[in-house]
Amino acid sequence: MKLNPEFFPLTQMAQRFVDQLAQCRRLGLKVLEASEHHVLIELPYSTELIGYPDTGVIHGGVITTLMDTACGSAVVSAIYQKYQSLEISPTLDLRVDYMKPAQPHKPVYGFAECYKLSSNIAFTRAIAYQDSIDDPIAHAVGSFMRISPEMVGDAFRQALMGEAVPAQGESDELK
Amino acid sequence: MNSNKHELGTERISPSPDVNTSVANKPAIESKTPLDVQSIVKRATELNDFGHLLEHVPYAKFIGMRVERFGDELIFKLPAKDDNIGNPVLPAIHGGVIAGFMEMSAIVQLMVFMQTAKVPKVVDFSIDYLRAGLHKDSFAECRITRQGRRVANVNIDCWQTNRKQLIATARAHFLID
């Protein structure tokens, strides 16, 4: 997959956001692209995530986590681009439809967009796929509550802006 | 309610005496032969240890979930675990982990009470988050709303300190053939 962080200037910020979430570090989620319109995240395959032992297919819950994270990152990116502020939006609801199982030993990509940002609510949708986005494994719709930027906290804000000392598992360009 | 018709450990399980042990000893990862769900459920019922079911699913271990039987009820537990945190500010459990926990709970509920031949496959999963899931133990219980021949509808409730203050509620459809 071709990466062009210059073309998608929010990629690094979105990666720092994802790295703040312990579960996402554990899953090894990698932000490939982020803009005010979309976020693309890669979920690597791991045998730890198997939900169907006889086939090696990963658990639906992992796809849900990928969708929730991708949609949440899309909201953070959209708000950052529109208001130059950082908000961390809790998920109100999320619905995931599973079209087909994810093939084992291959990464899953989550493509999310924030298609409407109102004053209180952010509306998102996402698609999970492997070989082609036209052959999806799952589709998700989620809404997120907007809370005031003051709720974010200084440490978190600095971590997202890449100002903090790289603590915990935070990845930076050197890695 | 539908689930009341099906007592734990009924005799609708095909008699295959040597299967139990062989399945239990098999590595959970990528065995070519399909998992014999019915004998695993039967064995779990005999042992009165439904954690035995979860041992076959790596993801259940990954998030650290457990299950406990109280009479004819199953209560699922997700002990507080650092790796499950999403929002580090509160801190709160990642919404996806709560969803995965609830989805796995529904799968086990179906396998135990409906004696499904295979692991049920999720068709859709819709979750409403009602409160932040804080960094502490969470619990879930499931209600099989309706089971048709191919599809089952399950409701799942999740709470932490108070059963009446749910942190999330979900409904899901599963393919069960």
Side-chain angles (χ1 to χ4, degrees):
Chain A
M1 188 148 301
K2 204 176 164 191
L3 295 183
N4 192 346
E6 304 287 309
F7 195 71
F8 297 114
L10 296 180
T11 306
Q12 315 267 315
M13 195 272 289
Q15 179 70 62
R16 287 192 291 266
F17 168 71
V18 169
D19 282 340
Q20 284 296 305
L21 317 179
Q23 173 70 13
C24 301
R25 287 200 301 269
R26 189 72 178 74
L27 291 173
L29 296 188
K30 195 173 160 208
V31 178
L32 302 180
E33 294 170 6
S35 72
E36 73 263 44
H37 302 297
H38 83 294
V39 167
L40 180 64
I41 294 182
E42 179 185 315
L43 165 76
Y45 181 80
S46 161
T47 50
E48 281 184 300
L49 306 178
I50 291 173
Y52 301 89
D54 42 350
T55 52
V57 170
I58 58 171
H59 197 275
V62 190
I63 304 287
T64 311
T65 306
L66 171 68
M67 296 301 220
D68 192 20
T69 308
C71 290
S73 313
V75 174
V76 170
S77 303
I79 290 173
Y80 182 69
Q81 188 67 27
K82 196 171 175 186
Y83 302 101
Q84 276 75 54
S85 73
L86 287 174
E87 290 177 22
I88 177 162
S89 308
T91 317
L92 274 182
D93 67 54
L94 187 72
R95 179 195 162 110
V96 187
D97 290 338
Y98 298 88
M99 263 74 82
K100 60 170 197 173
Q103 300 165 63
H105 307 291
K106 282 167 95 168
V108 177
Y109 299 98
F111 179 93
E113 50 188 341
C114 178
Y115 64 91
K116 169 72 183 170
L117 196 56
S118 77
S119 52
N120 289 308
I121 308 288
F123 299 89
T124 63
R125 55 187 164 219
I127 289 176
Y129 64 94
Q130 289 185 304
D131 297 324
S132 157
I133 198 163
D134 297 323
D135 186 18
I137 57 178
H139 187 273
V141 183
S143 53
F144 292 73
M145 176 104 161
R146 288 188 58 193
I147 53 168
S148 76
E150 287 95 79
M151 297 286 283
V152 173
D154 283 338
F156 194 70
R157 180 177 295 110
Q158 283 168 355
L160 254 62
M161 298 320 294
E163 290 160 7
V165 200
Q168 304 161 35
E170 199 190 333
S171 73
D172 54 322
E173 289 80 352
L174 296 172
K175 276 189 185 167
Chain B
M1 208 207 298
N2 213 354
S3 59
N4 288 346
K5 288 184 205 159
H6 304 270
E7 301 275 300
L8 285 171
T10 54
E11 286 117 61
R12 290 202 282 136
I13 298 151
S14 53
S16 46
D18 48 0
V19 176
N20 284 346
T21 43
S22 66
V23 167
N25 296 333
K26 217 171 266 178
I29 295 158
E30 288 199 84
S31 46
K32 286 280 179 277
T33 45
L35 217 61
D36 190 342
V37 171
Q38 293 189 333
S39 42
I40 293 173
V41 169
K42 192 183 175 197
R43 190 175 158 80
T45 311
E46 282 165 4
L47 296 171
N48 202 10
D49 172 16
F50 289 86
H52 179 73
L53 285 175
L54 296 175
E55 280 165 28
H56 291 268
V57 182
Y59 182 72
K61 239 180 274 172
F62 181 76
I63 59 171
M65 71 179 282
R66 311 229 181 99
V67 56
E68 195 95 24
R69 175 185 172 179
F70 296 97
D72 267 356
E73 273 185 43
L74 291 180
I75 299 288
F76 302 87
K77 179 177 177 183
L78 182 70
K81 189 170 185 245
D82 287 347
D83 276 346
N84 289 344
I85 289 176
N87 179 342
V89 181
L90 281 174
I93 307 172
H94 196 296
V97 174
I98 297 175
F101 164 58
M102 291 166 83
E103 188 185 315
M104 191 63 218
S105 303
I107 290 173
V108 172
Q109 184 89 7
L110 283 171
M111 292 196 302
V112 171
F113 288 94
M114 296 301 170
Q115 282 97 42
T116 56
K118 292 182 193 157
V119 181
K121 279 193 187 132
V122 62
V123 179
D124 60 54
F125 187 89
S126 179
I127 180 166
D128 293 327
Y129 296 97
L130 307 172
R131 287 178 181 81
L134 301 174
H135 184 32
K136 49 188 174 186
D137 298 356
S138 312
F139 304 91
E141 69 176 342
C142 310
R143 202 177 64 248
I144 299 167
T145 323
R146 170 175 154 84
Q147 188 194 12
R149 227 161 18 91
R150 288 185 296 170
V151 174
N153 180 298
V154 187
N155 269 274
I156 311 112
D157 285 339
C158 183
W159 70 92
Q160 289 186 323
T161 34
N162 187 335
R163 203 173 179 146
K164 285 178 186 139
Q165 294 184 327
L166 300 179
I167 60 160
T169 175
R171 44 158 288 258
H173 284 104
F174 293 90
L175 271 177
I176 45 169
D177 51 12

